């Protein structure tokens, strides 16, 4: 968890408070004034991003994909609530311990999700959801299909029939 970097966008007062409290001393903390550079770094370097939601940047978080986000604002409206499990919400006012707990929880969820993804060329296999994805298309798979794809992705050489029977079907002829 020590290699986690937290990106804070556009709220220097919050940055000063956490630096004074040494709240995130075990993490790297970066501050951004420009949302595009924050977005670029959070995607490229897999950073947890903290955004303060108000009227002027209320939809910025939608641009951040597959990266953990904590949204802080006043009483979230239903339009902010999504099914993305890499987003946590905090209503103002909040306790300092509450944000640290959310960071630890979100980081654990992110690591779990990341470990379930396998890149196979242009495709992404999600072992937990049993789906294969390519760009905006996704296909639901059975457990056996997922096992075959994982088997094929791990082997660099052609796979024999006996190897498949033994390792996927748990059958020995």
């Amino acid at each position: 968890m020590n290699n986690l970097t937290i990106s804070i966008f556009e709220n220097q007062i919050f940055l000063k408070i956490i630096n004074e409290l040494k709240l995130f001393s075990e993490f790297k903390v970066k501050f951004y004034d420009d949302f595009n550079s924050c977005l670029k770094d959070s995607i490229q370097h897999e950073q947890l991003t903290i955004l303060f939601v108000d009227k002027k940047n209320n939809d910025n978080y939608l641009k951040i994909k597959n990266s953990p986000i904590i949204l802080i604002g006043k009483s979230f409206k239903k339009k902010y609530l999504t099914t993305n499990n890499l987003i946590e919400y905090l209503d103002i006012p909040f306790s300092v311990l509450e944000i640290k707990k959310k960071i630890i929880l979100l980081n654990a969820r992110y690591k779990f999700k990341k470990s379930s993804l396998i890149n196979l060329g242009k495709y992404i296999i999600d072992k937990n959801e049993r789906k294969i994805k390519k760009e905006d298309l996704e296909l639901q798979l059975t457990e056996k299909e997922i096992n075959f794809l994982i088997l094929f992705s791990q082997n660099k050489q052609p796979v024999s029939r006996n190897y498949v029977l033994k390792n996927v079907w748990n059958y020995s002829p």
Side-chain angles (χ1 to χ4, degrees), residues 66-90:
N66 299 324
S67 189
I69 306 167
I70 296 178
L71 298 175
I72 301 174
K74 293 183 181 177
S75 62
F76 286 95
K77 298 186 171 55
K78 289 186 180 182
K79 77 174 194 170
Y80 294 116
L81 303 177
T82 66
T83 58
N84 183 350
N85 65 354
L86 293 178
I87 296 178
E88 283 289 332
Y89 305 92
L90 275 173

Side-chain angles (χ1 to χ4, degrees), residues 6-23:
I6 299 173
S7 303
I8 299 172
F9 173 65
E10 205 179 57
N11 195 323
Q12 286 187 325
I13 295 170
F14 179 70
L15 179 68
K16 287 179 184 177
I17 290 170
I18 62 167
N19 283 337
E20 284 178 18
L21 294 174
K22 296 183 179 16
L23 179 64

Side-chain angles (χ1 to χ4, degrees), residues 105-118:
L105 177 74
L106 195 56
N107 190 38
R109 254 192 270 149
Y110 176 68
K111 285 183 178 180
F112 176 74
K113 183 171 176 91
K114 187 178 172 191
S115 70
S116 74
L117 299 177
I118 299 172

Side-chain angles (χ1 to χ4, degrees), residues 155-169:
N155 288 316
K156 304 298 179 207
Q157 299 174 351
V159 179
S160 70
R161 177 183 173 275
N162 290 336
Y163 186 85
V164 170
L165 288 172
K166 181 180 177 188
N167 291 302
V168 176
W169 293 98

